[in-house]
Amino acid sequence: MFKYALTRWRYIGLVSSLILVFASILSVYQNGLSMSIDFTGGTIIDVQIQTLLNASDLQMMIHGSLKDTLIIRNGAEPGLWQLVMPANSIMTDPYQIVSTVSEQFSLPVTLVQASVVGPQVGEELFNQGGLALLAASLSIMGYLAIRFEWRLALAAIASLIHDTILTFGLLAFLGIKIDLNVVAGLLAVIGYSLNDSIVIADRLRDVLRAKPDMSIYANTDLAVRATFARTLVTAGTTLFIIGCLLVLGGEALYGFSMTMFAGVLTGTWSSVTIASTVQELLGLSPEHYQTKPDLVDDMP
């Protein structure tokens, strides 16, 4: 048991984070990541239907050949709806789909517009999204390697990996389809998840230089306490805004806002449980940030 109470709680949090990482990997393995039409290809048909029913009620009314393929989503405005058909569906003609839906609903359905995403376009979007995530991660790693001592840099990278895995695990558990909005949310999470880690690392670097006689555990606890109020205020205000977007943004922004909410929450948590503990396990000490005296040759 460690001498400092905060250190003990930080390491308990580290164990909890490792359990959550294992659960997230298991969630992705069992449930898989559901890719949206942006990446798999298909047809999106915007229609107008004057009804008081919601999307779930309309979805239950679908039967026949469209039952297992057609997905109904809320549109941008009341009375507007989106009919989503995957690329491998039997029925692909928008007019035929609208006519069939109108018959099954016993309601007039007006075609507004239809857009088709081909499999090749979906594959290109998937590759570009992956390259964007990779480029952002490599850029951040390069920045950390230049700015901090390698132990602090690896701790921040471990925190980033932790946040990404937990976010993917939540997306898989909730069955949220990964579309371009979710990729944008992931890019934002990659940047934000390092925010608190870098703040704590900056503060710890200053403390290590100012208090070389204290142990690494005491120095880390002091850095965490010094930045804790700032972390809570920043995370709290950010989560409040994202929470409003999550509740009021509608289905179109649900994946993006949920990704951001999970990323900010895990990023705040990991800055204390991952970033501030991994560097201790790697052997960081105050000596690594002490100025070494210049060696001057003795002159006769």
Side-chain angles (χ1 to χ4, degrees):
M1 183 175 297
F2 295 104
K3 179 180 178 181
Y4 305 96
L6 184 57
T7 299
R8 181 171 62 251
W9 285 111
R10 286 192 293 108
Y11 276 80
I12 292 175
L14 174 63
V15 175
S16 302
S17 294
L18 294 178
I19 295 174
L20 290 175
V21 167
F22 176 77
S24 298
I25 295 175
L26 186 63
S27 175
V28 173
Y29 176 77
Q30 291 185 340
N31 302 315
L33 295 175
S34 179
M35 310 302 293
S36 74
I37 195 174
D38 292 339
F39 301 124
T40 60
T43 304
I44 300 178
I45 306 172
D46 294 322
V47 297
Q48 185 175 13
I49 307 175
Q50 296 301 329
T51 179
L52 297 178
L53 300 176
N54 56 35
S56 299
D57 296 332
L58 293 176
Q59 188 72 51
M60 295 178 62
M61 296 171 62
I62 298 295
H63 59 272
S65 60
L66 297 180
K67 181 176 179 58
D68 297 328
T69 55
L70 178 64
I71 299 176
I72 301 178
R73 302 189 305 200
N74 294 314
E77 299 177 3
L80 293 180
W81 306 84
Q82 282 189 339
L83 309 179
V84 181
M85 296 288 292
N88 58 354
S89 59
I90 300 176
M91 194 178 301
T92 57
D93 183 16
Y95 293 98
Q96 184 181 4
I97 295 173
V98 170
S99 176
T100 304
V101 170
S102 179
E103 292 178 2
Q104 295 185 3
F105 289 171
S106 298
L107 292 171
V109 179
T110 304
L111 175 63
V112 178
Q113 66 176 4
S115 57
V116 178
V117 179
Q120 292 182 348
V121 176
E123 183 180 358
E124 182 179 355
L125 292 174
F126 179 81
N127 294 334
Q128 290 178 346
L131 287 175
L133 292 174
L134 179 61
S137 301
L138 292 177
S139 299
I140 290 175
M141 291 179 184
Y143 165 77
L144 293 174
I146 295 174
R147 180 165 182 175
F148 296 109
E149 202 266 347
W150 69 270
R151 296 171 181 83
L152 280 177
L154 284 182
I157 293 173
S159 176
L160 170 62
I161 296 174
H162 164 274
D163 301 341
T164 305
I165 293 177
L166 260 61
T167 302
F168 274 119
L170 181 63
L171 294 176
F173 178 76
L174 297 178
I176 297 176
K177 290 186 176 296
I178 299 180
D179 55 13
L180 293 178
N181 290 332
V182 172
V183 172
L186 288 172
L187 289 172
V189 165
I190 288 176
Y192 189 91
S193 65
L194 289 175
N195 182 53
D196 293 328
S197 300
I198 290 177
V199 170
I200 293 178
D202 267 332
R203 182 58 179 168
L204 177 59
R205 181 175 55 183
D206 295 338
V207 173
L208 290 174
R209 290 171 177 171
K211 300 181 182 297
D213 296 332
M214 294 175 58
S215 68
I216 181 61
Y217 304 108
N219 280 323
T220 304
D221 288 353
L222 183 61
V224 171
R225 287 193 180 97
T227 57
F228 192 69
R230 179 254 179 214
T231 297
L232 289 182
V233 172
T234 303
T237 53
T238 305
L239 288 174
F240 176 77
I241 300 300
I242 300 175
C244 293
L245 184 63
L246 182 62
V247 175
L248 304 175
E251 185 177 357
L253 295 177
Y254 178 74
F256 170 80
S257 54
M258 179 58 73
T259 302
M260 283 291 297
F261 192 89
V264 172
L265 193 62
T266 57
T268 304
W269 167 262
S270 66
S271 64
V272 177
T273 63
I274 302 293
S276 64
T277 55
V278 170
Q279 45 88 11
E280 295 173 353
L281 297 176
L282 292 175
L284 184 68
S285 65
E287 287 76 14
H288 293 117
Y289 274 102
Q290 300 305 309
T291 303
K292 296 180 180 181
D294 295 332
L295 297 179
V296 180
D297 295 335
D298 295 333
M299 298 297 294

